[in-house]
Amino acid sequence: MKQKINNSKGSTEEFDLTVMDLDNQKYVLRLYITGTTSRSVIAITNLKKICEEFLEGRYELEVIDLYQKPSLAKDEQIIAAPTLIKKLPLPFRRIIGDMSNKEKVLLGLDLKKV
Amino acid sequence: MSRSSNTLLNKNLQKSPTGIQGFDEITCGGLPTGRPTLICGGAGCGKTLFGMEFLVRGATQFNEPGVFVSFEETNEELTQNVASLGFDLDQLIRQKKIALDHVHIERSEIEETGEYDLEGLFIRLGYAIDSIGAKRVVLDTIESLFAGLPNQLILRAELRRLFRWLKVKGVTAIITGERGEATLTRQGLEEYVSDCVIMLDHRVTEQTSTRRLRVVKYRGSIHGTNEYPFLIDENGFSILPVTSLGLKHSISNERISSGIIALDKMLEGKGYYRGSTILISGTAGVGKTSISAHFAEAACKRGERVLYFCFEESPNQLMRNMLSIGIDLKPWVEKGLLQFQATRPTFYGLEMHLSATHKAVNGFKPHIVIMDPINTFIIGEKEIEVKIMLMRIVDYLKSNQITALFTSLTSGENSFEQTDVGISSLIDTWLLLRDIELSGERNRGMYVLKSRGMAHSNQIREFILTDHGVELQEVYIGANGVLTGSARIAQEANESAEMLTRKQDIERIKRDIDRKRKSLEAQIIALQTNFESEESEAIKMIETEQDSIKRLEQDKIEMAESRKADDDSPAI
């Protein structure tokens, strides 16, 4: 939540607004997978389930196969696969693995407070 | 027969030359082609640079494009860092000869949520390799992954897969790793990369640092096993495998003057051999530098180039001092025949000195190299290392037919025949200067301790510094021992006085004899005159007597005639 303060314009009012807004913020997610490995498939299934449950109607998920677009690996600084990148809302975050640990996925998506 | 040897050759490990000066010699050709090589070492020992030079030289000299994957430095930093070595990465990138990829891992951004692999990295690497057709890959420093990704089990399995994958790809790879406590690398990368392991080391002894390189392991190839010193300068890496030099120098019979006529005379009248190594040792202030300066001047007069390393004096100070004994070196410096290299021995490590020497010699191509003095190195370094370094310098100079003159300062306590550096065995001609203290004076003596390959003088000469250079005097050796300085002069004065009196004595005796002879001759003349007068008187008397006898007979005849005496009967 610390980073949030940096992004707000500084006033307490705006901060409160932002916090209230949190529940309605739109999520932009990108999932990078490597072909049709079992790990990729599991990741997609897991992630979709979590998104439907917690972010219904306010998320945008794009699944990208790195084998099809290898140059993206460099541009997006990806080393591990599968990697989920949370572009919005900030902070920027990478979630790696097959998303089988639901708690950690929620933590990474800032949907659950520590 | 030839076919079998050919196939054997083909089966031999293929090597990719690195283009790094000296490295291809010690590894007999370079790094193993198509295999990963581990470069390990502590911080700041040059791992990144080694990798970068491998790529740049590969791209520029051997037409092998390369990919540099950096886990620590960004592309901009990397480009800047190697620009100081004259590598223009930007241009090489534009020419598609080199690809840079900075892998950025931010621990705080990453959340592990289950099983994963490093396929993303593989794809990146594969994409970079394919985009420029790379033959060479550097991963610097892959261990950073361990800091970014918490799951070591996955990481280790993936690294193993990565190195296998690199082999399959057929790229010659360099993987760098930070040195660990007990292992070669902190994360034990040597377990995965086992074809070739090279260790870089950066050691500080007595406040001077030395970089060293060692080939720890090289599967399927012979390689030099020593620790080779190396340096990083504006031309990149250079490793000095000079110990591999054999004793195979070609030998010259040419003799060159030492610049001091009397010294030449002590050395068969011809001077030193060209390409030999000369050592001048002695206590402080005996004139070692003066002899060196003479030699330098003589060489310059012959039109030869002289490289003068002075480790204690600045060139200007040295030239001023030499002017006081009548040696003017400045014109030769201006003509470009004489070059000074002045550095403090402690300024950098031995290897740096060695390389600086190499570079200066290669650049200037001198006929004569003077190092004055060599034993100041000892201050910073261990004796054995200094000896090895000097051996390398001597070897190097000899193999280039360069005459080397070293001076060495002997401390008063040591025996004179012992140099501090212990390099006497490397020396061909050894001149020893020593001070002789006698009757409240300190004078300089010089003798030839050894001189290989010539019948040199065995005499001690008195060594005098005059305003027109060095002079060597015969010392006085007499009943009172060796005399030098004013004692010698006094003795010489005594001798000449004695000689004078002796000469005067002889003159006197000569004169005496002369006088005696003269008086004797006078006496002889007087006696002769006496005799002559007596003789003439006697003759006169004889004549008178004969006259009177004649007259008597005449008278008798006349008387007989008058008596008319018979002629037959005698008268009376």
Side-chain angles (χ1 to χ4, degrees):
Chain A
M1 291 306 278
K2 271 182 199 161
Q3 287 94 330
K4 275 274 176 296
I5 297 163
N6 294 335
N7 291 322
S8 75
K9 296 217 169 61
S11 77
T12 322
E13 259 175 70
E14 274 182 61
F15 175 70
D16 288 341
L17 272 172
T18 321
V19 173
M20 281 199 313
D21 247 20
L22 204 61
D23 295 335
N24 307 317
Q25 263 180 341
K26 196 174 178 193
Y27 271 73
V28 178
L29 305 173
R30 293 235 173 99
L31 179 64
Y32 293 90
I33 52 160
T34 49
T36 52
T37 56
S38 62
R39 218 172 270 145
S40 304
V41 176
I42 295 170
I44 295 169
T45 325
N46 283 338
L47 184 63
K48 278 194 172 156
K49 216 187 280 173
I50 293 166
C51 286
E52 284 305 311
E53 190 178 335
F54 293 90
L55 298 168
E56 203 199 336
R58 57 183 182 102
Y59 75 96
E60 185 187 292
L61 174 64
E62 194 183 346
V63 179
I64 298 157
D65 184 1
L66 283 175
Y67 287 132
Q68 306 297 320
K69 291 179 176 173
S71 63
L72 280 181
K74 181 179 175 179
D75 299 340
E76 295 288 344
Q77 282 292 352
I78 290 163
I79 49 167
T83 295
L84 173 67
I85 291 180
K86 177 175 74 114
K87 295 234 152 191
L88 281 173
L90 292 168
F92 184 89
R93 178 111 347 131
R94 292 162 201 282
I95 299 156
I96 59 172
D98 59 11
M99 316 288 156
S100 54
N101 189 332
K102 191 174 161 188
E103 296 290 303
K104 286 219 167 167
V105 178
L106 293 177
L107 209 62
L109 291 173
D110 289 322
L111 290 170
K112 191 176 174 188
K113 288 177 184 76
V114 186
Chain B
M1 183 67 192
S2 67
R3 183 184 286 177
S4 71
S5 67
N6 264 346
T7 49
L8 198 65
L9 264 178
N10 290 339
K11 269 181 196 161
N12 262 352
L13 192 65
Q14 291 230 336
K15 290 182 182 176
S16 299
T18 57
I20 293 171
Q21 209 185 329
F23 184 78
D24 296 341
E25 277 93 325
I26 53 174
T27 50
C28 309
L31 297 176
T33 304
R35 296 186 184 191
T37 296
L38 178 66
I39 310 262
C40 51
C45 68
K47 302 183 292 287
T48 306
L49 192 67
F50 188 97
M52 191 47 95
E53 192 166 349
F54 171 68
L55 285 195
V56 171
R57 301 243 180 252
T60 54
Q61 294 175 10
F62 307 106
N63 198 23
E64 290 194 359
V67 173
F68 195 99
V69 182
S70 163
F71 291 85
E72 283 171 342
E73 290 165 291
T74 65
N75 297 352
E76 289 74 32
E77 283 170 340
L78 212 54
T79 311
Q80 266 177 12
N81 293 351
V82 299
S84 63
L85 304 167
F87 300 153
D88 187 358
L89 280 189
D90 281 333
Q91 199 194 336
L92 289 169
I93 292 167
R94 272 198 304 278
Q95 293 171 342
K96 287 199 168 289
K97 283 185 167 174
I98 283 200
L100 295 184
D101 189 359
H102 174 227
V103 176
H104 174 78
I105 310 160
E106 182 61 56
R107 181 73 187 88
S108 63
E109 285 180 357
I110 293 175
E111 200 69 60
E112 276 185 349
T113 64
E115 290 283 305
Y116 59 91
D117 54 36
L118 294 184
E119 193 62 28
L121 182 65
F122 284 62
I123 289 169
R124 271 170 92 158
L125 196 48
Y127 179 70
I129 290 172
D130 296 339
S131 66
I132 60 165
K135 296 272 187 294
R136 301 179 176 205
V137 168
V138 174
L139 303 174
D140 175 59
T141 303
I142 204 157
E143 283 179 320
S144 305
L145 286 177
F146 285 88
L149 300 172
N151 195 329
Q152 294 230 348
L153 280 177
I154 293 178
L155 210 48
R156 287 187 183 279
E158 287 298 291
L159 281 184
R160 198 178 291 272
R161 190 163 73 93
L162 176 68
F163 297 141
R164 221 172 28 240
W165 179 79
L166 285 173
K167 270 193 182 180
V168 173
K169 271 266 177 192
V171 289
T172 311
I174 284 182
I175 291 110
T176 64
E178 201 79 19
R179 181 122 157 234
E181 294 277 313
T183 49
L184 289 175
T185 58
R186 204 168 283 166
Q187 304 296 343
L189 286 180
E190 61 271 24
E191 281 176 50
Y192 314 118
V193 189
S194 44
D195 290 304
C196 181
V197 179
I198 287 155
M199 186 137 87
L200 303 181
D201 184 22
H202 194 189
R203 219 175 292 166
V204 178
T205 357
E206 308 275 339
Q207 299 161 15
T208 32
S209 78
T210 314
R211 297 172 192 272
R212 281 156 215 274
L213 175 146
R214 185 163 74 94
V215 182
V216 180
K217 169 175 177 179
Y218 199 145
R219 225 174 241 179
S221 164
I222 48 165
H223 59 85
T225 51
N226 293 355
E227 271 194 321
Y228 298 96
F230 72 92
L231 17 109
I232 299 170
D233 53 22
E234 66 272 16
N235 298 322
F237 251 71
S238 56
I239 294 151
L240 307 158
V242 199
T243 37
S244 60
L245 266 177
L247 289 169
K248 286 184 228 151
H249 335 292
S250 59
I251 290 302
S252 167
N253 284 324
E254 194 192 335
R255 302 285 281 266
I256 45 176
S257 166
S258 66
I260 304 166
I261 299 161
L263 178 56
D264 287 347
K265 275 189 190 148
M266 289 175 84
L267 303 166
E268 287 185 336
K270 295 174 195 161
Y272 313 123
Y273 277 112
R274 183 175 293 288
S276 67
T277 311
I278 302 134
L279 177 70
I280 300 168
S281 70
T283 47
V286 283
K288 298 182 292 291
T289 305
S290 307
I291 293 185
S292 317
H294 262 295
F295 187 42
E297 194 196 21
C300 288
K301 278 184 183 159
R302 287 193 299 268
E304 294 174 8
R305 280 187 302 279
V306 179
L307 190 58
Y308 199 120
F309 290 91
C310 30
F311 297 120
E312 279 183 339
E313 288 178 290
S314 77
N316 287 330
Q317 188 187 336
L318 191 131
M319 282 193 275
R320 183 204 66 195
N321 295 350
M322 289 305 115
L323 207 57
S324 74
I325 60 162
I327 302 173
D328 191 5
L329 296 174
K330 204 157 209 150
W332 305 117
V333 174
E334 281 158 8
K335 271 192 182 172
L337 286 173
L338 178 62
Q339 197 180 73
F340 282 100
Q341 292 272 327
T343 39
R344 283 256 168 226
T346 43
F347 185 59
Y348 34 57
L350 275 183
E351 275 65 34
M352 202 67 181
H353 274 293
L354 186 56
S355 130
T357 313
H358 271 235
K359 237 198 251 154
V361 169
N362 275 335
F364 190 56
K365 302 233 173 297
H367 298 86
I368 283 155
V369 167
I370 296 170
M371 299 189 113
D372 177 31
I374 44 169
N375 55 313
T376 36
F377 286 116
I378 306 262
I379 299 166
E381 310 287 336
K382 288 197 186 75
E383 201 167 305
I384 179 88
E385 289 174 4
V386 176
K387 185 173 177 176
I388 288 170
M389 184 195 84
L390 287 171
M391 197 147 65
R392 283 185 181 148
I393 291 181
V394 167
D395 273 344
Y396 177 69
L397 295 178
K398 275 203 169 172
S399 60
N400 285 295
Q401 285 272 310
I402 297 168
T403 315
L405 188 141
F406 303 133
T407 69
S408 170
L409 179 75
T410 330
S411 64
E413 299 128 38
N414 285 357
S415 97
F416 286 108
E417 284 78 12
Q418 189 193 338
T419 50
D420 292 337
V421 194
I423 56 157
S424 57
S425 54
L426 303 172
I427 299 300
D428 297 313
T429 299
W430 188 352
L431 306 178
L432 200 76
L433 294 168
R434 52 181 301 183
D435 47 39
I436 301 166
E437 278 183 35
L438 203 73
S439 55
E441 263 182 28
R442 187 164 169 278
N443 293 300
R444 305 177 174 96
M446 185 179 102
Y447 60 96
V448 182
L449 190 74
K450 77 165 179 187
S451 193
R452 286 177 182 154
M454 61 177 90
H456 59 84
S457 160
N458 61 355
Q459 282 186 317
I460 298 183
R461 297 288 157 94
E462 188 178 350
F463 179 89
I464 301 166
L465 292 172
T466 67
D467 56 0
H468 50 273
V470 168
E471 274 187 4
L472 296 178
Q473 294 279 347
E474 300 256 357
V475 290
Y476 178 83
I477 304 166
N480 300 334
V482 176
L483 295 181
T484 54
S486 61
R488 174 177 55 79
I489 292 167
Q491 186 66 35
E492 279 171 0
N494 270 349
E495 272 184 10
S496 61
E498 218 169 89
M499 197 70 95
L500 197 68
T501 31
R502 242 184 238 169
K503 262 189 192 164
Q504 282 169 346
D505 280 354
I506 289 169
E507 287 292 310
R508 209 187 56 234
I509 291 167
K510 267 189 186 165
R511 269 200 313 274
D512 275 358
I513 285 177
D514 232 29
R515 211 180 50 237
K516 270 185 188 163
R517 188 193 291 125
K518 271 182 189 153
S519 66
L520 207 62
E521 276 170 0
Q523 275 178 352
I524 290 169
I525 289 168
L527 281 173
Q528 212 157 19
T529 353
N530 259 355
F531 170 73
E532 274 169 12
S533 59
E534 274 173 31
E535 193 184 36
S536 64
E537 214 146 304
I539 289 170
K540 222 185 261 172
M541 270 167 67
I542 290 168
E543 278 175 2
T544 333
E545 283 300 307
Q546 280 174 342
D547 275 352
S548 56
I549 289 171
K550 252 186 214 167
R551 200 170 302 130
L552 272 176
E553 278 185 12
Q554 192 70 40
D555 285 348
K556 237 183 217 172
I557 292 164
E558 279 174 13
M559 272 171 57
E561 269 177 15
S562 65
R563 276 182 219 156
K564 296 206 190 38
D566 252 351
D567 283 339
D568 299 332
S569 59
I572 310 161

